[in-house]
Amino acid sequence: MTAELLNGREIAKAYRAGLAEEVEKLKAQGITPNLTVVIVGNDGASLSYVRSKNKAAEKIGMSSGIIHLDADVAETELLDTIERLNNDDTVNGILVQVPLPEQISEEKVLEAIAPHKDVDGFHPTNIGRLYTGQRTFVPCTPLGIMELLKHTGPLEGKDVAVIGRSHIVGQPVAKLLTDAHATVTLMHSRTQGMIDKLKHFDVVISAVGAPGLVTGMHLKEGAIVVDVGNSVVDEKLVGDVDFESAKAVASYITPVPGGVGPMTITMVLNNTLLAAKWHNGLE
Amino acid sequence: MTAELLNGREIAKAYRAGLAEEVEKLKAQGITPNLTVVIVGNDGASLSYVRSKNKAAEKIGMSSGIIHLDADVAETELLDTIERLNNDDTVNGILVQVPLPEQISEEKVLEAIAPHKDVDGFHPTNIGRLYTGQRTFVPCTPLGIMELLKHTGPLEGKDVAVIGRSHIVGQPVAKLLTDAHATVTLMHSRTQGMIDKLKHFDVVISAVGAPGLVTGMHLKEGAIVVDVGNSVVDEKLVGDVDFESAKAVASYITPVPGGVGPMTITMVLNNTLLAAKWHNGLE
């Protein structure tokens, strides 16, 4: 078996084309969805990531702004900035790029974003709504993974191993998979005999940041493999999965780069569109 | 092997004695923790449950009130009542007994309770805080289960099957177990071959409401069995587990009644004590 590629770039491209059409319809009604990203300091990788979100929003017809604050900005000034964006009716989605400098409490900042503009879906109120089944912004990487998995057939009844228990990826994707009627085992660093257990699973989602963690010999024949790993080795972006050996066993597999990554930004745009619709009483 | 009994009544009694000591200390500082329960209508089981919470609170020295509203009360009146309790400094914990009559939105009511008085831990903000690892009120049944499991040794590295994916029991207990470094598989009605899979698990927690679902032959030798089932058969309260056959295989097992049930009310008291402490800037 050679796995079919879950090509995140292509799937994201098609998905964004759909978003662009919806943006156009909103603009015809006088509504231009806006995504505003706040960044503190001058970390190169963060800056480039922020700019790519910005460009992606503009490419589908949204308006987009970047607010760039000095690395030594006071927490109160950042909170004031967020408060201003919360109250600005032309802003639909607010992202604050993390990590933040030491003098600023990330928790306080993420809680300061109005839940109805929190397109990252990190506000406790939004996470709570996710778990109670209410309308909310679903965190972008888990949402993007679910969108990729739509291309592999129904999840109902499948046994899924999620490796990594972060509240950004592992836990919410486990929740979404459970809602889709899959049976999820949430694995992590303390799981006994983890690698040998993977053989029993129809789907393996790895979100650890440990290059080479999962290889073909660990997988069930025909497994679906989603690689959320995101490490830099020899100046190259690599995932958790040994792609070549896994590809020979899996039925579907995501590459790194070009798998989950493009889907994450796409879901930021998706959530910003939702924010604009909800703000205007549409849907 | 004959399992050791996880006697919820005894464990709850000892736990409440500890709470009573802490209540006494607070009273010496002029603080009397108060639990106020709101009940709508005259359902016999609900009334008796509310009274038992009330009595349990008073037995450990807390003050406690019941607000009893007519079955046909308007939603706005219930919301006004909650608003009044939110603003009443003598009230630390607010419980609204569910289910509520048809004219009232349960979601709206549970969201109306101030998060810092939501001792059930059902408010989306509190659930969100649970998942982001912040200080919060943990839902009472999951918290009670974790307390019972403290009597069975460390959970780290154990494989746990949780049967039932409700957001009141299954999902939050899966989260708490994951935090305790167990590896959790969340099973439900769509899980393939569920019963046969149980043999692989060190701990089985069943929260379905299906009498006889789990029997001894499904269990791994020495498994720990927690029965959250709560069904009435022939006017008797029964769990999901066939106690006699399971007891012969398990290392620890909870009875029904007298297992998880007493722990749930105990954790309501625990959370009310925390609410009183936090409100007064203690801890």
Side-chain angles (χ1 to χ4, degrees):
Chain A
M1 177 171 265
T2 295
E4 202 170 313
L5 203 66
L6 282 170
N7 188 325
R9 281 199 192 105
E10 273 179 25
I11 293 170
K13 197 178 160 190
Y15 196 98
R16 289 185 203 189
L19 293 177
E21 279 176 32
E22 295 208 56
V23 170
E24 203 174 353
K25 278 186 220 156
L26 283 184
K27 283 170 131 177
Q29 298 173 61
I31 302 159
T32 302
N34 171 283
L35 174 68
T36 297
V37 189
V38 180
I39 178 162
V40 180
N42 293 300
D43 177 66
S46 291
L47 275 170
S48 115
Y49 194 52
V50 163
R51 283 195 200 105
S52 69
K53 286 173 185 169
N54 207 246
K55 261 171 60 181
E58 289 176 357
K59 207 169 166 188
I60 63 163
M62 293 180 171
S63 78
S64 175
I66 297 178
I67 295 178
H68 193 159
L69 301 173
D70 286 340
D72 62 355
V73 68
E75 187 182 83
T76 49
E77 193 183 329
L78 176 53
L79 293 173
D80 287 346
T81 302
I82 291 170
E83 187 58 22
R84 191 170 53 71
L85 296 173
N86 285 342
N87 294 323
D88 182 344
D89 261 357
T90 67
V91 173
N92 299 114
I94 305 170
L95 294 183
V96 177
Q97 183 69 31
V98 291
L100 291 164
E102 267 189 5
Q103 76 273 18
I104 297 173
S105 154
E106 194 171 306
E107 184 180 312
K108 216 186 268 183
V109 166
L110 295 181
E111 288 213 32
I113 300 171
H116 66 283
K117 298 192 177 188
D118 164 44
V119 291
D120 256 339
F122 292 165
H123 194 287
T125 296
N126 285 333
I127 293 174
R129 287 181 183 150
L130 174 67
Y131 282 93
T132 53
Q134 296 173 62
R135 190 175 89 170
T136 187
F137 299 112
V138 179
C140 299
T141 298
L143 191 59
I145 293 168
M146 295 305 287
E147 194 57 38
L148 285 174
L149 288 173
K150 281 188 188 162
H151 296 259
T152 69
L155 287 162
E156 176 166 340
K158 288 213 169 87
D159 291 320
V160 183
V162 173
I163 313 176
R165 55 183 158 171
S166 82
H167 73 267
I168 307 293
V169 182
Q171 301 214 39
V173 83
K175 160 69 180 162
L176 298 177
L177 290 159
T178 299
D179 287 348
H181 307 309
T183 301
V184 180
T185 301
L186 188 53
M187 300 181 168
H188 46 76
S189 54
R190 315 293 178 93
T191 297
Q192 294 297 305
M194 186 181 82
I195 283 300
D196 296 328
K197 284 177 175 156
L198 294 183
K199 273 266 186 223
H200 302 290
F201 290 89
D202 306 310
V203 182
V204 173
I205 298 175
S206 188
V208 178
L213 178 69
V214 178
T215 74
M217 62 177 250
H218 304 127
L219 296 168
K220 183 173 171 174
E221 185 77 28
I224 296 164
V225 181
V226 177
D227 189 350
V228 199
N230 199 342
S231 312
V232 178
V233 176
D234 295 338
E235 299 183 20
K236 270 191 195 164
L237 198 62
V238 296
D240 294 342
V241 179
D242 178 63
F243 186 77
E244 289 307 322
S245 66
K247 195 178 69 171
V249 181
S251 60
Y252 291 91
I253 188 168
T254 61
V256 175
V260 175
M263 297 305 292
T264 297
I265 295 190
T266 302
M267 294 305 142
V268 171
L269 304 178
N270 177 78
N271 287 352
T272 303
L273 179 70
L274 284 177
K277 285 185 180 174
W278 294 346
H279 178 68
N280 289 285
L282 306 168
E283 295 208 353
Chain B
M1 178 171 267
T2 294
E4 201 170 315
L5 203 66
L6 281 170
N7 188 326
R9 282 197 192 108
E10 272 179 25
I11 294 169
K13 197 177 162 191
Y15 197 97
R16 290 185 203 189
L19 293 177
E21 278 177 30
E22 295 207 55
V23 170
E24 202 173 356
K25 277 186 220 157
L26 283 184
K27 282 169 130 175
Q29 298 174 62
I31 302 161
T32 303
N34 172 282
L35 174 67
T36 297
V37 189
V38 180
I39 178 163
V40 179
N42 292 300
D43 176 67
S46 291
L47 275 170
S48 113
Y49 194 51
V50 164
R51 283 196 201 106
S52 69
K53 285 173 185 170
N54 206 246
K55 261 172 57 182
E58 288 175 358
K59 206 169 167 187
I60 63 163
M62 292 180 172
S63 77
S64 175
I66 296 178
I67 295 179
H68 193 160
L69 301 173
D70 287 340
D72 62 355
V73 68
E75 187 181 85
T76 48
E77 193 183 329
L78 176 54
L79 292 173
D80 287 347
T81 302
I82 292 170
E83 188 56 23
R84 189 171 53 73
L85 296 173
N86 284 343
N87 294 323
D88 181 345
D89 260 359
T90 67
V91 173
N92 300 112
I94 305 171
L95 293 184
V96 177
Q97 183 69 29
V98 291
L100 291 164
E102 267 190 6
Q103 77 275 17
I104 296 174
S105 154
E106 193 171 308
E107 184 180 312
K108 217 185 266 181
V109 166
L110 295 181
E111 287 213 31
I113 300 171
H116 65 284
K117 296 191 177 188
D118 164 44
V119 290
D120 257 338
F122 292 165
H123 194 288
T125 297
N126 284 332
I127 293 175
R129 286 181 184 150
L130 174 66
Y131 283 93
T132 52
Q134 296 175 60
R135 189 174 90 170
T136 188
F137 299 112
V138 179
C140 298
T141 298
L143 192 59
I145 292 168
M146 295 305 288
E147 194 57 39
L148 285 175
L149 288 173
K150 281 189 189 164
H151 296 258
T152 68
L155 288 162
E156 177 167 338
K158 287 214 169 84
D159 291 319
V160 183
V162 173
I163 313 175
R165 55 183 159 172
S166 81
H167 73 267
I168 307 293
V169 182
Q171 301 212 40
V173 83
K175 162 68 181 162
L176 298 178
L177 289 159
T178 300
D179 287 349
H181 307 309
T183 300
V184 181
T185 301
L186 187 54
M187 299 181 169
H188 47 76
S189 54
R190 316 294 179 92
T191 297
Q192 295 297 305
M194 186 182 82
I195 283 300
D196 296 328
K197 284 178 176 155
L198 295 183
K199 274 265 185 225
H200 302 291
F201 290 89
D202 306 312
V203 182
V204 173
I205 299 176
S206 188
V208 178
L213 178 70
V214 178
T215 73
M217 62 178 247
H218 304 126
L219 296 168
K220 182 173 171 174
E221 185 76 29
I224 297 164
V225 181
V226 177
D227 189 350
V228 198
N230 199 342
S231 311
V232 177
V233 176
D234 295 338
E235 299 183 20
K236 270 190 193 164
L237 198 63
V238 294
D240 294 342
V241 178
D242 178 63
F243 186 77
E244 288 307 322
S245 66
K247 195 178 69 173
V249 181
S251 60
Y252 291 91
I253 188 168
T254 61
V256 175
V260 175
M263 297 305 292
T264 298
I265 295 190
T266 303
M267 294 305 143
V268 171
L269 305 177
N270 177 77
N271 286 353
T272 303
L273 179 71
L274 285 178
K277 284 185 180 172
W278 293 346
H279 177 68
N280 289 286
L282 307 167
E283 293 208 352

